[in-house]
Amino acid sequence: MATALEELRELEARALAELAACTDEGALRAWHGRYLGDKGQLKAALAKLGTLAKEEKPAYGAEANRVKGSLSAAYESAWEAVRERALTAELEQPGIDVTLPGRTWRRGRLHPATTILRRICRIFAEMGFQVYRSREVETEAYNFDYLNMPAHHPARDMWDTFFTTTPGVLLRTHTSPGQIHVMRAAGGRPIRAILPGMCYRNEAISPRSEIQFYQIEGLVVGEGVTFADLKGTITSFARRLFGPQRQVRIRGSYFPFTEPSIEVDIDWPADDPNRERLTKGTGWLEIMGAGMVHPKVLEAGGYDPRRVTGFAFGMGPQRMLMLLHAIDDIRLFWQNDLRFLQQF
Ligand code: DAH
């Protein structure tokens, strides 16, 4: 029968032979578990010390420690060898192929909403309009009161509003408050301005409505400005944007800040296959609200309604883009989906 010391040496020989066969990290770890781990064979061999006769103990203990040292050192160098081999293999891989085509920079572009905004601004610039920007966070006074909608005015229901935690401060629901800012900045001089910008409404999001969207407001104020000027301006604009054949139709409507108020439709080309759907069978499509500026609004802007008159209009440029490109879901604008954006 093998003596305890011989068993120790056999354990060492077996462990070293198995270690020599380990060529990757997984095998090394498994080997470690089998021999040097908490439940490994060397632990078991050390535990045997307690069962030996007193005179055998010192020699066995010394030998067990030597075997432990020997296996630990062998384990370390086996790791070294495995790492070395992995590095060599990596270095022997073929180098970079400089003849492959490089990665090209992808060129960005303007967002379609920006493009339509600029297009509309350009059309009005040709007609002598200036661009006036005003704030998106507004006071209740500018968004409603100065526009002839005092507190509790039922017309406020037309704009479902995001109020901030500061009383009287809100996200503007339309660009119309800009009319007051323009008038106050112009200080009594004649005005011909458009006011593009972002608006916010507390809407249930659907293919037709979003909680944020662009509007473009227009305002003309001066002596002798008439409804005919409004009609001519709008007609000219519609033809420049949608094509020279377009007919414009005007319907009576209601807005608190204009009197009279109108809605403006354009006829849709008879040869467009989308005509039925877009115009719900009527052939006409609404493009904006407008009207003659209400005397109270002129007063709020610091103008004397007995001396000057004005007209105003408001439109949704994203809606126009949807018409021009047969886009059927307004939510696509702010989803940042490149499949949509790259088409423009
Ligand atoms: N502010 C209106 C809205 O958001 C649009 C509008 C209608 C603006 C008539 C005007 C106007 O300036 O005259 O629904």
Side-chain angles (χ1 to χ4, degrees):
M1 212 180 110
T3 66
L5 277 179
E6 275 165 351
E7 277 176 24
L8 258 184
R9 288 183 194 128
E10 270 162 31
L11 168 65
E12 182 187 16
R14 197 169 357 112
L16 290 176
E18 278 181 34
L19 187 62
C22 295
T23 52
D24 61 46
E25 298 187 7
L28 279 178
R29 290 211 172 83
W31 181 91
H32 187 269
R34 271 198 315 281
Y35 289 101
L36 295 176
D38 278 347
K39 297 201 174 101
Q41 296 181 26
L42 193 67
K43 256 268 160 63
L46 281 166
K48 209 169 171 183
L49 195 61
T51 69
L52 295 178
K54 200 174 173 201
E55 58 279 9
E56 283 180 311
K57 278 186 184 174
Y60 186 85
E63 185 63 4
N65 273 332
R66 188 194 61 75
V67 170
K68 188 179 178 193
S70 142
L71 293 187
S72 300
Y75 179 65
E76 284 308 318
S77 38
W79 265 110
E80 247 348 89
V82 163
R83 285 199 200 100
E84 193 87 3
R85 213 171 306 140
L87 186 65
T88 313
E90 204 179 304
L91 290 174
E92 279 168 1
Q93 293 275 317
I96 297 168
D97 182 352
V98 293
T99 65
L100 283 175
R103 262 180 235 157
T104 50
W105 288 98
R106 286 213 278 167
R107 198 188 299 188
R109 65 191 84 191
L110 292 173
H111 191 282
T114 307
T115 313
I116 187 75
L117 222 55
R118 290 191 181 180
R119 225 172 120 191
I120 295 172
C121 288
R122 197 154 51 233
I123 290 173
F124 280 105
E126 286 169 3
M127 295 195 266
F129 282 71
Q130 289 180 299
V131 173
Y132 186 89
R133 293 194 177 272
S134 58
R135 59 193 70 152
E136 293 174 19
V137 178
E138 264 298 358
T139 61
E140 208 171 335
Y142 275 87
N143 199 77
F144 294 120
D145 297 60
Y146 297 147
L147 295 173
N148 194 28
M149 274 181 280
H152 310 302
H153 192 293
R156 285 196 181 196
D157 287 350
M158 287 159 70
W159 293 273
D160 215 335
T161 311
F162 285 117
F163 288 92
T164 67
T165 47
T166 311
V169 177
L170 47 79
L171 299 183
R172 67 175 174 192
T173 57
H174 49 180
T175 43
S176 303
Q179 291 188 25
I180 307 294
H181 290 294
V182 163
M183 286 192 271
R184 292 187 173 181
R189 284 168 293 185
I191 296 169
R192 206 187 288 169
I194 51 167
L195 303 90
M198 192 62 85
C199 304
Y200 304 85
R201 281 185 208 174
N202 183 17
E203 303 270 0
I205 297 176
S206 77
R208 293 179 55 85
S209 55
E210 254 281 28
I211 57 169
Q212 71 175 90
F213 53 91
Y214 278 121
Q215 274 195 346
I216 296 186
E217 188 91 6
L219 178 69
V220 173
V221 178
E223 283 178 32
V225 174
T226 68
F227 197 91
D229 297 320
L230 166 61
K231 194 176 171 195
T233 304
I234 287 171
T235 306
S236 180
F237 161 72
R239 290 185 179 162
R240 286 170 202 235
L241 186 63
F242 292 106
Q245 311 315 323
R246 298 281 64 75
Q247 296 297 315
V248 170
R249 183 174 81 167
I250 280 170
R251 285 178 291 120
S253 183
Y254 171 74
F255 299 101
F257 30 87
T258 42
E259 178 59 35
S261 303
I262 56 167
E263 262 159 53
V264 181
D265 301 335
I266 56 170
D267 69 323
W268 205 248
D271 55 358
D272 185 331
N274 290 316
R275 187 176 197 251
E276 269 300 300
R277 186 177 55 85
L278 285 172
T279 69
K280 300 192 188 93
T282 65
W284 294 93
L285 194 93
E286 187 196 322
I287 58 164
M288 65 174 85
M292 299 305 290
V293 181
H294 195 286
K296 287 212 171 134
V297 176
L298 287 171
E299 268 169 11
Y303 284 75
D304 180 354
R306 286 164 308 185
R307 271 196 49 241
V308 298
T309 48
F311 67 78
F313 52 85
M315 63 184 124
Q318 288 165 252
R319 253 201 91 217
M320 306 221 173
L321 196 68
M322 292 170 76
L323 297 176
L324 289 167
H325 294 288
I327 299 165
D328 56 11
D329 193 333
I330 197 167
R331 295 170 299 186
L332 287 165
F333 281 99
W334 311 129
Q335 272 168 353
N336 278 343
D337 187 335
L338 287 179
R339 288 170 303 179
F340 171 70
L341 297 173
Q342 278 171 344
Q343 296 177 61
F344 299 94

